[in-house]
Amino acid sequence: MLFSRVQLSVFVFSLFLLLGAIQIPLHASSQHDWDATANLSPGYEAADNWDISVPPSVNATGNLIFETINSLMQHWPNTRYRNGHTIVPALVRPGNVFYHGRSDSNTPTTPEWLATDPEHSLIFCRDLNTDSGCWMLTVTVVRPLKLLYFDGSSAAKMRDGSMDSQDILAYGAVIPEKYRDEKERINTLCEWAKGLNVDGFVRMEMDFEIMLCDFAKGVEVAAVNLRKSIRARPGRPDQPRPPPESYPPYDDSEHRPHSNDRHNSSTPDSPVGDAFITGSWHNYFPGDTRIQLDLTQLISFYDTQLVPSLVEERFGKERIEHRLLGISPQDVLAVVNRINASIADSYFGSGVDWATLIQLIVKRFSGRLEMVQYILNSTTPADSASENENLAKKVHSHLAAMVQPYMLATVKPSDEDASAEWFTPVYKLCSTIYTDYIATSAIHSHLSTSEQLVLGGVEQTTREICRVVTGMWVDGVMNGLDQDLYKPSTIEDKDGKINALIGSWRERINFLMKWLDWSVWLKCRPECGFEEICYLPTWPFRVRENNDSKRDPQPKCIPRM
Ligand SMILES: *[C@@H]1O[C@H](CO)[C@@H](O)[C@H](O)[C@H]1NC(C)=O
Ligand SMILES: *[C@@H]1O[C@H](CO)[C@@H](O)[C@H](O)[C@H]1NC(C)=O
Ligand SMILES: *[C@@H]1O[C@H](CO)[C@@H](O)[C@H](O)[C@H]1NC(C)=O
Ligand SMILES: *[C@@H]1O[C@H](CO)[C@@H](O)[C@H](O)[C@H]1NC(C)=O
Ligand SMILES: *[C@@H]1O[C@H](CO)[C@@H](O)[C@H](O)[C@H]1NC(C)=O
């Protein structure tokens, strides 16, 4: 007899896992799919049998909610994904200073834009007629300012979705033709804000900016007469220098500056280049913390309960193409109602620190997942059997490190029956350890509607990581890579099995990382040198309307000096 009963069942079981794994990247739909329109907690404990072969629904958005919230007020991820899906009430504390460049020393009497960093305002600091220098207003916050933040590249004048969430508030519908009507947009938004307790809005382009509705409220304004920026001055014999090929050219035709001014510069050391550098200072977590977000009141267009009409619009599309066009009028009304209510609300939520929780999960898994992917990337079919086995052992040790904190002492495959259940406690503990208290204790009843959405995103995301990682680890165990736990007496065609395991592992890790799509993984490889910066193509550089705007931008090193 070739196989004992036990060996046979182990073999069949491994085969099942491999097949299950290979299926995942194809279409993950099954009658057991999680219900994308329901939050996971608190009901999911009861309804759920923790079947490790069941992936999230194709329409589930927990991963998108998790990553968009993890990216708020950070320049890098919002440069990549330009079409915002989140609106968040925000606060700026007294003492913060912002900047407004112009050609005279007057304080605006209509809504205008503030730069968060002075370099951005210098683009507009000019006096076209005289040699008396140019004007920069410093705008100091003297009482808490209440703002609404639109995530994404919400100040990029692009036709394909970066303005959608503003349109919803300004016009009650997405109106793509208005993508350049900046003056009308700020006036309409500020008109909308008038009846509410809102001082302005926060957006992002080459840097973050504030649309301030009323310069007479909550701020103190002073005018500073600056030396005219020589580098910004058009038409000097030594300007503009032709940009080096690798540097993003400034696409002047696409950029309508905020008011009546037009700027004209294309060199790396121009004010535009400088604003791009200061924007990059806010690239990563926690981003620009002068704008303090109230996550307990956010709304997300990835919320499938609040905005069900977009589920179909997004279906089958890459994230880069997601936008709000196609949202139903009922959903617009629901969103505006929620925003109106949240502005009026003085409830401060449950006290859970969501940003830190999300960041913790990213820290815990991002480096290790990337390492596993890196090792698996380094194999080729031509590698020898012993090379492959060493590599499989290496991968397995990283997987084991990831599941170690959830490895209960009682968890062990039984020699008699390697059933599919022995590892369920690992999968379950890994999936629930970070949120169990929030999801099941009395605190759950104190969560705001927004917090319940965030919790669902954390739960779905953590669970999918744990499902894939535990599944990969189990396959390593069943192939004898974890001798303490399980030692098959003989393995038929061991080399073939290790090869198949490596192939299945590679597919699964790639699928998981694509699903998570964390911006921490989007970086220049190899890293840039000191004289370079890692650059992600963005409007108005190299991203022209109607052309590059659907493309997923990829970073590359460009000269910094
Ligand atoms: C929200 O508030 C604005 C400003 O007060 C008001 O014009 C609008 O009708 C409100 N919208 C809803 C849906 O309540
Ligand atoms: C921008 O600079 C170019 C090159 O110096 C010049 O030909 C063009 O007229 C300038 N445009 C404006 C709007 O100043
Ligand atoms: C996902 O959404 C699409 C579009 O609404 C729908 O046709 C499909 O049945 C949904 N799939 C699942 C598994 O919910
Ligand atoms: C592994 O390969 C994939 C596909 O080519 C690539 O996208 C990814 O960046 C690589 N990962 C690592 C860590 O090298
Ligand atoms: C995008 O623009 C480039 C340069 O102007 C042009 O060569 C290319 O054909 C355009 N692509 C599309 C899809 O329009």
Side-chain angles (χ1 to χ4, degrees), residues 192 195-196 333 336-337 340:
W192 177 87
L196 303 159
L333 197 63
V336 177
N337 264 332
N340 278 13

Side-chain angles (χ1 to χ4, degrees), residues 459-471:
E459 285 178 331
Q460 279 188 21
T461 299
T462 316
R463 178 176 173 141
E464 178 60 358
I465 296 169
C466 295
R467 188 184 75 83
V468 175
V469 168
T470 307

